Amino acid sequence: MDGLLKGKIAIITGAGSGLGRAAALIFARHGATVVATDIGEASVAETVKLVEAEGNRASAHICNVADEAAMDALVAEVAKTHGRLDIIFNNAGITVMPAPGGLRGLLDTPTSEFDRIQAVNIGGVLNGSRAAIRQFTAQGADEKGVSGVIVNTASVAGMIGYGGVAYGATKGAVVNMTRTLALEVAHLGIRVNSVCPAGMLTHYAGLDPDGPNADKIREGMKRNNPLGHDGNPDDTANAALFLASDLASNITGVNLPVDGGLSAGIVMVKR
Ligand SMILES: NC(=O)c1ccc[n+]([C@@H]2O[C@H](COP(=O)([O-])OP(=O)(O)OC[C@H]3O[C@@H](n4cnc5c(N)ncnc54)[C@H](O)[C@@H]3O)[C@@H](O)[C@H]2O)c1
C-alpha cells in the first residue's frame, strides 16, 4: 500500500539512526516530506541522503529535543518553509549505558544519569508535543477535522518491568503522557499515540547492527519475541506509519506494543 502520508509534512526526531532512520525512509516512501532531526549532524545528513537516493523528499536539521527553545525554533522553521506541520514523531531517546555483562541496576545509576535520560526521553516528548500542538492549533483542522498527529516512541519497558529502572520510569511516563495528552487535545483534532517496541538492534545502548556480535544479538532478540522477529526497526516504523496515517483516524491515547506478543503475558500452555 503506497501513499499513506501523501503530501504530509512530518518531523522525525532521532532520525539519524535506528528507528528514526527507518521511519524517515518509510514515511517518505509513503509520500511524506520528512524533516529529519537529530543531534548527530553527519548521521542525519546520511539519513536524508538515503531518502533522496530513493527519489523521495527529506531535509536534515540539528535539534536537541531536550532543548525547548531549539524544538520551538525547529517547528517555526518548518511552518515557515512548508506552510504547515502534519505529523511529529517524537522518537529520540537514550538509555543508561549497560555495564559489562548486563543492564545497570538502580544502585549503579546515579541521579545525574537519571536526570540526563529524563531530559531527553520525557522532556523531548513534552517539548516536541508542545511546539507541535501550538502549530497544529494555529493552522487549524483540514477538511477531515484533523489538525495534526503526534506519535511518540515509548517502549515495552514502559508497560512491563523490562530494561532497567531509570529507563523504564521514563518510558512509563511517555505511556501515560500519551494517554493524558490524547484526551487533552482530542477536541482540537489532534491524535496522540505511541509505539512501544521491544528490543531492536540499532546503535542504541552502544550496540552495533553491523558489528561482530550482531548475529548473536539478533538470535537473542528472536528468542525473546514470541513471533520470532529479530529486532528490525522496520516493524516499529511501520506501526508508527499506521498511527501517523488516516488509517488510524479513530485511534488516540493508544500505546501500541511492537513486540511479537512479549508484553501480552506468560505462556501457560504446553507448546
Ligand atoms: N533499540 C531498542 O531496543 C529500543 C527498544 C524500545 C524502545 N526504544 C526507543 O526507540 C527510540 C529510538 O531508539 P533507537 O533504537 O533507534 O536508538 P539509536 O541510538 O539507534 O537512535 C537514536 C537517535 O536519537 C538521537 N538522539 C539522542 N539524543 C538526542 C537528543 N537529545 N535530541 C535529538 N536526537 C537525539 C541519537 O543521536 C540517535 O541518532 C528511543 O526512544 C528508544 O528509547 C529502543
Side-chain angles (χ1 to χ4, degrees), residues 23-264:
L25 285 159
I26 288 174
F27 283 23
R29 281 175 206 145
H30 277 266
T33 296
V34 171
V35 178
T37 79
D38 204 289
I39 47 172
E41 191 170 356
S43 63
V44 77
E46 177 64 19
T47 296
V48 168
K49 218 165 111 186
L50 293 169
V51 170
E52 289 177 342
E54 294 185 354
N56 298 320
R57 285 178 304 277
S59 56
H61 306 256
I62 308 306
C63 180
N64 176 0
V65 296
D67 180 342
E68 181 181 354
M71 207 66 229
D72 287 348
L74 173 77
V75 171
E77 187 188 342
V78 170
K80 195 167 166 213
T81 308
H82 299 284
R84 63 181 291 114
L85 170 68
D86 300 294
I87 297 159
I88 187 161
F89 183 22
N90 291 312
N91 163 72
I94 56 175
T95 189
V96 186
M97 289 306 274
L103 286 168
R104 244 173 243 281
L106 178 60
L107 300 185
D108 300 319
T109 308
T111 301
S112 57
E113 185 66 353
F114 183 53
D115 291 347
R116 189 179 72 89
I117 299 172
Q118 217 177 186
V120 178
N121 293 8
I122 302 178
V125 172
L126 288 175
N127 292 334
S129 299
R130 197 191 295 107
I133 290 166
R134 285 201 187 108
Q135 175 56 31
F136 294 159
T137 312
Q139 69 199 18
D142 65 12
E143 68 285 354
K144 292 180 186 150
V146 179
S147 306
V149 179
I150 297 172
V151 181
N152 299 322
T153 298
S155 171
V156 160
M159 308 180 117
I160 60 171
Y162 178 94
V165 173
Y167 178 72
T170 65
K171 292 301 186 176
V174 174
V175 163
N176 220 29
M177 281 154 58
T178 298
R179 295 189 186 110
T180 312
L181 188 59
L183 295 174
E184 193 174 309
V185 297
H187 70 288
L188 300 172
I190 301 170
R191 296 188 296 103
V192 188
N193 295 292
S194 87
V195 287
C196 300
M200 298 180 291
L201 184 46
T202 61
H203 288 100
Y204 201 59
L207 296 175
D208 181 358
D210 305 311
N213 294 326
D215 286 344
K216 209 170 133 203
I217 296 167
R218 274 194 195 93
E219 282 311 311
M221 286 178 170
K222 278 186 190 176
R223 276 196 301 279
N224 284 335
N225 181 303
L227 287 176
H229 282 223
D230 69 354
N232 183 333
D234 284 1
D235 282 342
T236 307
N238 280 322
L241 166 71
F242 164 68
L243 291 172
S245 79
D246 287 346
L247 289 180
S249 64
N250 198 23
I251 299 176
T252 198
V254 160
N255 294 288
L256 180 60
V258 189
D259 64 354
L262 176 71
S263 61

